[in-house]
Amino acid sequence: MDDKYLIIKSIAENSDGIVTTKQIEDAGLNRTIIKNYVNQDLLVRESQGIYTLSSTLVDEYKLLQMRSEKMVFSYGTALYLHGMSDRVPRLLDVTIPQGYNVSRIKKDHPEVRFHYVRHEWWEVGLTKIHTPMGAEVILYDKERCICDLINHKKHIDMQLYTQAIKEYFKSSADVRKVLKYGNIFGIEEKIRTYMEVLT
């Protein structure tokens, strides 16, 4: 293997097996070499500007999130990553700001369910976690997940809803934080009712 490929391989190995055109260019390499490595089956083109090492098993959560910095794992997917649901998501839930264009991602990823929120709500509760494969991804914290469940109860699977709500309020509740979020989303009284019943 040549030196240029070894540089790309090193970048990818430090980025969960994923490398971008920008990272390659930032390393002083010309983007035109990428096509050669794809043709040699050393790199796999996953989407525009995103490549993986053909020899590496890549984390699907990380790969999806690299398509857009505005996609945050939420609802059932975030609950699973937090260990609040034992159900491996069949559909991946992500939340994005209203008006943000994800038409290309939707086309490429029918397994993703998009939720839209106001711009000022999108950042509430952002945090990071490691996936089962060890990659770091962005998702909503437990308190934001609980607020989203309560706010959209009609659209949530009841088993998922009940398990997460009970587990949260009986074990890991951060009362101040969840009430603060509840105030932002206008559901503080609903949250207080759950707290009275479940704690």
Side-chain angles (χ1 to χ4, degrees):
M1 282 180 219
D2 62 62
D3 291 345
K4 290 177 183 176
Y5 176 72
L6 291 175
I7 292 169
I8 294 172
K9 186 169 182 275
S10 175
I11 295 167
E13 285 171 349
N14 288 310
S15 305
D16 303 304
I18 304 165
V19 63
T20 65
T21 303
K22 184 181 184 312
Q23 286 174 312
I24 290 168
E25 288 182 326
D26 287 349
L29 302 175
N30 192 310
R31 66 163 62 199
T32 56
I33 64 170
I34 298 170
K35 192 175 180 189
N36 295 338
Y37 296 132
V38 170
N39 290 340
Q40 292 174 50
D41 291 328
L42 293 171
L43 290 178
V44 177
R45 184 183 185 275
E46 299 291 350
S47 58
Q48 187 174 359
I50 300 174
Y51 299 84
T52 57
L53 299 175
S54 55
S55 57
T56 306
L57 187 62
V58 178
D59 190 304
E60 293 300 321
Y61 295 102
K62 179 78 174 185
L63 193 56
L64 174 65
Q65 198 160 65
M66 285 191 73
R67 294 289 304 267
S68 167
E69 59 186 17
K70 295 293 184 185
M71 290 197 307
V72 178
F73 290 114
S74 56
Y75 293 88
T77 305
L79 291 171
Y80 170 72
L81 292 170
H82 279 302
M84 295 171 71
S85 166
D86 50 17
R87 217 189 276 183
V88 178
R90 191 174 49 81
L91 286 172
L92 296 178
D93 288 299
V94 298
T95 295
I96 56 171
Q98 282 173 345
Y100 193 74
N101 185 1
V102 288
S103 55
R104 183 179 279 177
I105 302 171
K106 274 185 175 178
K107 198 173 117 199
D108 293 345
H109 295 277
E111 78 284 5
V112 177
R113 181 165 44 199
F114 289 88
H115 304 268
Y116 299 85
V117 292
R118 295 185 204 170
H119 285 260
E120 63 269 27
W121 286 1
W122 178 78
E123 287 186 341
V124 177
L126 289 180
T127 190
K128 292 179 180 178
I129 204 168
H130 287 97
T131 68
M133 281 183 70
E136 189 177 73
V137 293
I138 301 167
L139 75 171
Y140 285 129
D141 62 18
K142 293 178 182 183
E143 289 70 32
R144 171 64 187 264
C145 290
I146 292 300
C147 287
D148 283 344
L149 291 186
I150 293 170
N151 223 351
H152 302 99
K153 184 178 179 181
K154 282 188 272 185
H155 307 290
I156 307 293
D157 174 89
M158 269 325 287
Q159 189 182 340
L160 179 77
Y161 181 90
T162 306
Q163 181 186 354
I165 295 282
K166 279 184 179 174
E167 183 175 316
Y168 178 77
F169 284 109
K170 286 190 171 173
S171 62
S172 60
D174 182 332
V175 174
R176 284 178 65 184
K177 195 193 273 191
V178 79
L179 287 174
K180 178 184 160 193
Y181 291 180
N183 180 260
I184 293 168
F185 300 126
I187 55 168
E188 189 176 346
E189 286 311 308
K190 286 183 182 177
I191 291 171
R192 288 188 185 280
T193 303
Y194 279 102
M195 286 166 62
E196 285 169 20
V197 173
L198 295 169
T199 55

